[in-house]
């Protein structure tokens, strides 16, 4: 792909190359030659793809807002699944988890010591004191979105509340660490620092992920690590940040009954918040907000 200054840019913006991605390409090539780990070109989104992903994210966001309105003590996780499933279909989308690698439901619902990938069920009833993560992912016109929030049911212990709050802070510290032409691992470093300063641990076995044309794309986004390491972040990258933070240790096991649900080994509480973000020319945009 050799472009001339006055050609239309490869990104489909309709602008001349020199007014669009020419500087980007020069910077990208220079860093690559210097030996930095660069994202492959096919995960850098074009303006049209970004628009499609944002429309998908509108449904994910709307579904979570609806859950926030409807969630209550005594409700089953199956009912939450139905609410999101119906809303998504009504808006023209497809729930991305349904049948994904054999996943049987349209959302993940993970309660208390469940870390992630909890499966909605009519026999799982929300009780006062529970903390629950509801994880919603949508496909619209082939574009993927993914976001999750925590909900607190009835009277929740101070201990659980604090975990939920600190985990949300971890997500935002991770988002603030996103800088165009910065390092991917700065995100994990910021999250780990805040979690551990509060006496918590960061789950190692799952991370955030590139997303857009597929559910899970490159890169794998670590929620722990060292500043100044890892892939270079470039404008047009879209990925999730979704820290799972445990009140106790980070080790976990996967429920042998369903081969999906991850649960803390020591039975301690776990919380998770997730946003999908876009790296922009001058910072970061939360597209699931
Ligand atoms: N939203 C989760 C994630 O990517 C979905 C996992 S796959 C599922 O991070 F099948 F469990 F939904
Ligand atoms: Co995700």
């Amino acid at each position: 792909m050799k472009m001339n200054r006055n050609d239309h840019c490869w990104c489909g913006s309709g602008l001349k190359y020199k007014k669009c991605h020419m500087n980007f390409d020069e910077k990208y090539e220079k860093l690559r030659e210097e030996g930095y780990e660069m994202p492959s070109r096919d995960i850098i989104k074009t303006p049209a793809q970004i628009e499609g992903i944002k429309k998908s994210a509108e449904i994910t966001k709307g579904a979570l807002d609806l859950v926030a309105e409807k969630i209550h003590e005594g409700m089953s996780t199956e009912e939450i699944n139905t609410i999101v499933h119906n809303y998504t279909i009504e808006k023209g989308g497809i729930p991305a988890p349904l049948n994904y690698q054999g996943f049987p439901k349209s959302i993940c619902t993970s309660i208390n010591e469940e870390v992630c990938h909890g499966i909605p069920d009519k026999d799982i009833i929300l009780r006062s004191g529970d903390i629950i993560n509801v994880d919603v992912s949508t496909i619209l016109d082939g574009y993927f979105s993914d976001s999750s929030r925590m909900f607190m049911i009835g009277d929740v212990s101070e201990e659980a509340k604090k975990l939920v709050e600190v985990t949300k802070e971890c997500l935002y510290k991770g988002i603030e660490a996103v800088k165009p032409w910065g390092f991917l691992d700065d995100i994990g470093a910021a999250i780990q620092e805040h979690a551990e300063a509060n006496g918590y641990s960061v789950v190692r076995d799952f991370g955030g992920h590139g997303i857009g044309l597929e559910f899970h794309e490159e890169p794998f986004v670590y929620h722990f690590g060292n500043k100044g390491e890892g892939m270079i972040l470039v404008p047009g990258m879209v990925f999730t940040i979704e820290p799972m933070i445990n009140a106790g240790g980070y080790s976990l096991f996967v429920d042998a009954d369903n081969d999906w649900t991850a649960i803390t080994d020591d039975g301690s509480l776990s919380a998770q918040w997730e946003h999908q973000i876009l790296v922009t020319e001058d910072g970061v945009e939360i597209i699931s907000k």
Side-chain angles (χ1 to χ4, degrees):
M1 178 198 52
K2 189 75 194 116
M3 299 216 56
N4 292 314
R5 297 171 57 81
N6 290 316
D7 290 345
H8 286 304
C9 189
W10 54 259
C11 79
S13 64
L15 298 173
K16 285 185 178 171
Y17 182 49
K18 66 185 178 192
K19 293 259 178 198
C20 195
H21 275 89
M22 192 173 85
N23 286 339
F24 174 99
D25 283 343
E26 284 170 3
K27 211 162 175 175
Y28 178 98
E29 280 310 317
K30 183 168 171 288
L31 288 164
R32 197 180 55 77
E33 278 160 23
E34 287 171 5
Y36 289 99
E37 187 187 337
M38 302 305 289
S40 78
R41 310 260 340 185
D42 57 9
I43 62 162
I44 299 163
K45 271 60 185 179
T46 67
Q49 290 168 340
I50 291 166
E51 203 183 310
I53 295 166
K54 284 182 174 175
K55 283 189 185 139
S56 175
E58 284 293 325
I59 299 178
T60 294
K61 206 179 347 175
L64 282 166
D65 288 343
L66 190 58
V67 171
E69 237 175 73
K70 305 259 176 188
I71 199 165
H72 61 85
E73 192 182 335
M75 177 184 224
S76 72
T77 52
E78 175 78 39
E79 287 173 76
I80 306 171
N81 184 80
T82 302
I83 288 168
V84 173
H85 182 93
N86 291 346
Y87 177 87
T88 303
I89 300 295
E90 193 186 296
K91 296 287 176 188
I94 301 165
L98 189 58
N99 302 319
Y100 175 78
Q101 296 184 358
F103 193 80
K105 296 284 175 175
S106 298
I107 57 170
C108 300
T109 48
S110 308
I111 302 179
N112 298 334
E113 68 283 356
E114 293 175 345
V115 174
C116 63
H117 302 165
I119 301 176
D121 193 292
K122 64 177 177 19
D123 295 326
I124 301 175
I125 308 296
L126 299 182
R127 297 289 172 216
S128 181
D130 284 343
I131 59 170
I132 178 176
N133 174 275
V134 177
D135 193 338
V136 176
S137 318
T138 308
I139 315 170
L140 179 70
D141 301 331
Y143 295 108
F144 287 77
S145 58
D146 189 3
S147 180
S148 81
R149 300 181 197 164
M150 293 298 296
F151 299 96
M152 297 189 269
I153 310 300
D155 292 322
V156 169
S157 71
E158 284 309 313
E159 184 199 350
K161 259 185 217 161
K162 188 184 164 207
L163 176 67
V164 169
E165 265 323 295
V166 170
T167 303
K168 191 178 194 179
E169 290 163 11
C170 285
L171 168 60
Y172 280 92
K173 290 201 183 272
I175 294 171
E176 281 164 24
V178 175
K179 305 276 184 260
W181 311 101
F183 290 92
L184 178 66
D185 290 5
D186 287 5
I187 299 167
I191 291 169
Q192 182 178 15
E193 187 180 48
H194 192 59
E196 292 180 357
N198 282 279
Y200 300 145
S201 69
V202 178
V203 168
R204 281 4 186 201
D205 301 277
F206 302 98
H209 49 94
I211 177 170
L213 309 188
E214 288 175 69
F215 200 167
H216 298 101
E217 302 174 350
E218 291 292 306
F220 184 90
V221 178
Y222 290 91
H223 297 128
F224 61 95
N226 301 313
K227 263 175 108 155
E229 293 181 5
M231 188 182 276
I232 299 292
L233 300 176
V234 309
M237 286 174 76
V238 174
F239 55 86
T240 69
I241 303 177
E242 47 181 305
M244 285 144 270
I245 306 295
N246 296 351
Y250 58 69
S251 69
L252 55 80
F253 68 97
V254 173
D255 189 340
D257 291 338
N258 64 26
D259 273 340
W260 274 104
T261 309
I263 303 170
T264 58
D265 249 337
D266 58 11
S268 66
L269 291 174
S270 186
Q272 178 181 27
W273 289 84
E274 173 179 21
H275 269 314
Q276 183 173 359
I277 66 98
L278 165 69
V279 182
T280 64
E281 301 281 333
D282 47 14
V284 58
E285 187 181 339
I286 304 175
I287 64 179
S288 52
K289 198 172 184 173

